Amino acid sequence: MKNRVTGLGGFFFKTQNPDAIKAWYKTHLGIPTDQYGWTFWWRDEHGNKCSTQWSPFQQDTSYFSPSEKQFMMNFRVENLVELLEVLKQEGVEIVGEIEEYDYGKFGWILDPEGNKIELWEPVDSVFLDESEK
């Protein structure tokens, strides 16, 4: 398999008050947050528009389960189905089933320390308006 991870897709973390923490980051670091946190836009080495999501989650979220960690990383990947098959063959623990949306496919794994890792095969064009494509 040529490429596995192609970039950081997102960083998600638990907090007692997501709205308050978003306001703090907006005030002190100038991050213009929205209801999800903030999407950072960048271009890959081929000039394609790509995104990385920063999102605070409520402390009691179950989205990071079965991990008990305070954070979850999301990595951008090229071919999720193929990658998950390779990872399974390599003995990596797969969590749940692939989920597909108009903005991409998602799959999850656990690293050796129990960190849940979200793998995302993105469709960035869904987030762009016609003038940005």
Side-chain angles (χ1 to χ4, degrees):
M1 171 160 214
K2 181 180 167 196
N3 289 323
R4 292 183 185 213
V5 170
T6 61
L8 182 63
F11 182 76
F12 312 128
F13 61 98
K14 295 178 183 180
T15 181
Q16 292 177 6
N17 187 330
D19 289 334
I21 202 74
K22 286 185 284 186
W24 187 94
Y25 277 85
K26 185 175 187 175
T27 298
H28 298 288
L29 297 179
I31 297 174
T33 60
D34 60 21
Q35 73 182 74
Y36 302 108
W38 187 247
T39 303
F40 294 88
W41 288 97
W42 48 276
R43 292 186 184 270
D44 68 13
E45 66 217 40
H46 307 292
N48 299 311
K49 287 197 171 195
C50 302
S51 65
T52 299
Q53 182 67 34
W54 173 89
S55 294
F57 279 71
Q58 191 64 44
Q59 187 69 36
D60 61 357
T61 185
S62 62
Y63 193 64
F64 301 1
S65 294
S67 176
E68 295 295 322
K69 303 293 178 106
Q70 291 296 108
F71 67 91
M72 182 176 71
M73 295 174 285
N74 169 297
F75 290 110
R76 299 167 62 90
V77 300
E78 282 189 355
N79 186 328
L80 179 63
V81 173
E82 181 181 345
L83 177 57
L84 286 175
E85 185 57 41
V86 168
L87 293 172
K88 184 177 180 181
Q89 292 171 9
E90 293 173 348
V92 173
E93 185 175 348
I94 310 299
V95 178
E97 300 293 324
I98 291 174
E99 294 183 18
E100 191 167 348
Y101 303 92
D102 61 342
Y103 49 90
K105 296 177 189 170
F106 294 85
W108 298 269
I109 61 172
L110 290 178
D111 75 9
E113 293 190 2
N115 295 303
K116 187 175 181 183
I117 309 295
E118 185 170 66
L119 303 174
W120 175 38
E121 183 180 327
V123 179
D124 288 306
S125 61
V126 170
F127 300 108
L128 303 172
D129 65 32
E130 288 302 314
S131 65
E132 296 177 303
K133 292 181 183 177

